[in-house]
Amino acid sequence: MDQVRALRYFSKVVETGSFTLAARAFSVPPSSLSRRIADLEQSLGATLLKRSTRVVKLTEIGQDYYRQVKQILEQLELSDEMVRNYQSTPMGHLHISSMVGFGERILLPLMDEFSEMYPEIVLDISLSDELSALSRDDVDIAIRGGYAPNERVVAIKLMDNHFIAVASQQYLNEMGIPTRVSELSQHKGLYFRTPNGPLPWICEIDGQWQEVSAPKAAISNNGKWLVDKALQNRGILMMAGWALNPYVDRGELIKLQFDYPLYVTQNPALGVYLLYQKQRYQVPKVKAAVDFLVSRVKHQNSPHNNIHSFV
């Protein structure tokens, strides 16, 4: 029995939830794929999959086995790719996951230039504010806003991610310009929602952190929609400075200042981080993309080169 092939078949059945879809991915008959997995189960003396007419599920031992097998297959694929691409031209599919706002405003325009430099790399870019795990998802590079993650990855801080409060001039004319955080209760708030919920507005007063959020007028994980609401005079918006500064510079939105600094977290180390698994940097396509993005983004926004290695 070709155990590696059987393991690939087994892993694909788990990922797709279907013998038919898994067989299609390998261009083999479903019956042939099913027999190989049955042989694998027989050699192990254990049932890995629960089969029914509608669905395929892992058994309890199958779940443990799959977790270990997936790591082995990923390492094997990485080793094969590193050998194939050693000192070669960057090529192949490059999977990048980025938070939406950064992706739309900064990443996508830059990757047009990257594609011209490396025409043999096929870009596969996903924009989502849901967190992606490099060890779990099919992602070469991830770009996240927040803190340096507690993962076994390399994290390069591309830029600060400090939030600022803004509103339109017309809104401020109608509602008044708040200069004290205590006045926010008389205003309307536009809130950015993360996977953990809407970000509160907080400040530190006499050594104590207090929430000073304005009543909610709108909530969304879509930054552009929230900016549109602010431009339509719907309320005060707290969002990342790098996203709002262009509107402030054009005079479309007014940056607000308060008697106490306004934050969305007690942790001051907010940033935009580029993440990748340390060993993936040896793959030419990943090295090319990491070096390109760091040179284009980070060195234009920060004089310091903050790299954190979580390995």
Side-chain angles (χ1 to χ4, degrees):
M1 179 183 66
D2 184 342
Q3 187 171 11
V4 173
R5 179 175 297 182
L7 293 179
R8 293 188 191 278
Y9 286 175
F10 166 69
S11 181
K12 184 61 69 173
V13 168
V14 175
E15 293 169 2
T16 62
S18 165
F19 281 91
T20 301
L21 294 177
R24 189 179 301 164
F26 290 103
S27 300
V28 299
S31 57
S32 175
L33 181 142
S34 180
R35 282 197 301 273
R36 284 190 177 273
I37 294 179
D39 291 343
L40 174 64
E41 291 177 316
Q42 184 176 359
S43 70
L44 295 171
T47 301
L48 303 175
L49 297 169
K50 299 176 183 177
R51 300 162 174 83
S52 70
T53 56
R54 292 186 177 182
V55 68
V56 179
K57 293 184 177 181
L58 285 166
T59 62
E60 183 176 357
I61 187 62
Q63 292 176 359
D64 293 335
Y65 189 67
Y66 171 70
R67 281 193 290 268
Q68 298 182 48
V69 164
K70 185 170 177 60
Q71 294 178 1
I72 293 171
L73 292 177
E74 286 176 348
Q75 185 59 51
L76 179 61
E77 181 181 354
L78 174 61
S79 300
D80 290 347
E81 185 175 7
M82 289 176 62
V83 172
R84 287 193 299 267
N85 292 313
Y86 182 67
Q87 290 185 336
S88 68
T89 302
M91 64 180 62
H93 281 74
L94 179 68
H95 302 269
I96 301 177
S97 173
S98 171
M99 54 184 182
V100 177
F102 182 91
E104 292 177 342
R105 292 176 174 83
I106 298 176
L107 177 66
L108 293 181
L110 283 177
M111 297 316 286
D112 289 338
E113 178 186 352
F114 180 82
S115 291
E116 294 180 2
M117 296 173 60
Y118 301 99
E120 295 186 57
I121 293 179
V122 178
L123 294 176
D124 186 343
I125 300 176
S126 300
L127 302 184
S128 173
D129 290 317
E130 297 296 322
L131 299 182
S132 58
L134 297 178
S135 59
R136 182 186 69 243
D137 300 331
D138 187 19
V139 173
D140 295 304
I141 296 172
I143 298 176
R144 297 182 190 161
Y147 321 116
N150 185 22
E151 290 186 35
R152 298 174 64 84
V153 298
V154 176
I156 301 177
K157 187 176 181 180
L158 296 176
M159 62 172 66
D160 289 330
N161 199 33
H162 298 309
F163 276 51
I164 63 174
V166 299
S168 70
Q169 186 63 63
Q170 183 176 330
Y171 172 86
L172 296 174
N173 290 341
E174 295 174 355
M175 301 293 294
I177 301 175
T179 57
R180 298 177 178 275
V181 293
S182 60
E183 297 171 353
L184 289 172
S185 61
Q186 306 302 316
H187 284 263
K188 301 175 182 178
L190 305 173
Y191 290 85
F192 187 82
R193 186 179 69 245
T194 71
N196 296 322
L199 292 173
W201 303 353
I202 61 175
C203 63
E204 188 176 14
I205 302 175
D206 298 330
Q208 298 293 323
W209 285 96
Q210 301 182 23
E211 181 173 350
V212 292
S213 301
K216 295 177 175 61
I219 305 169
S220 179
N221 66 345
N222 187 300
K224 185 178 184 304
W225 185 80
L226 289 172
V227 170
D228 288 342
K229 290 298 180 187
L231 293 172
Q232 295 165 9
N233 318 309
R234 299 296 182 84
I236 297 173
L237 171 62
M238 276 279 288
M239 216 163 69
W242 57 263
L244 294 177
N245 283 332
Y247 299 94
V248 174
D249 293 341
R250 293 193 297 266
E252 297 172 338
L253 294 172
I254 309 301
K255 183 177 178 180
L256 302 177
Q257 300 290 341
F258 300 96
D259 52 344
Y260 293 96
L262 200 59
Y263 302 98
V264 294
T265 174
Q266 296 182 29
N267 191 322
L270 281 177
V272 175
Y273 290 89
L274 182 150
L275 315 176
Y276 62 90
Q277 292 181 310
K278 186 176 182 179
Q279 66 271 28
R280 294 291 293 173
Y281 189 72
Q282 302 303 316
V283 179
K285 64 181 181 182
V286 176
K287 183 179 186 302
V290 169
D291 292 349
F292 173 83
L293 288 171
V294 169
S295 66
R296 289 296 189 277
V297 180
K298 177 179 170 45
H299 292 165
Q300 294 175 6
N301 290 276
S302 173
H304 305 294
N305 187 18
N306 299 320
I307 301 180
H308 309 269
S309 181
F310 296 87
V311 295

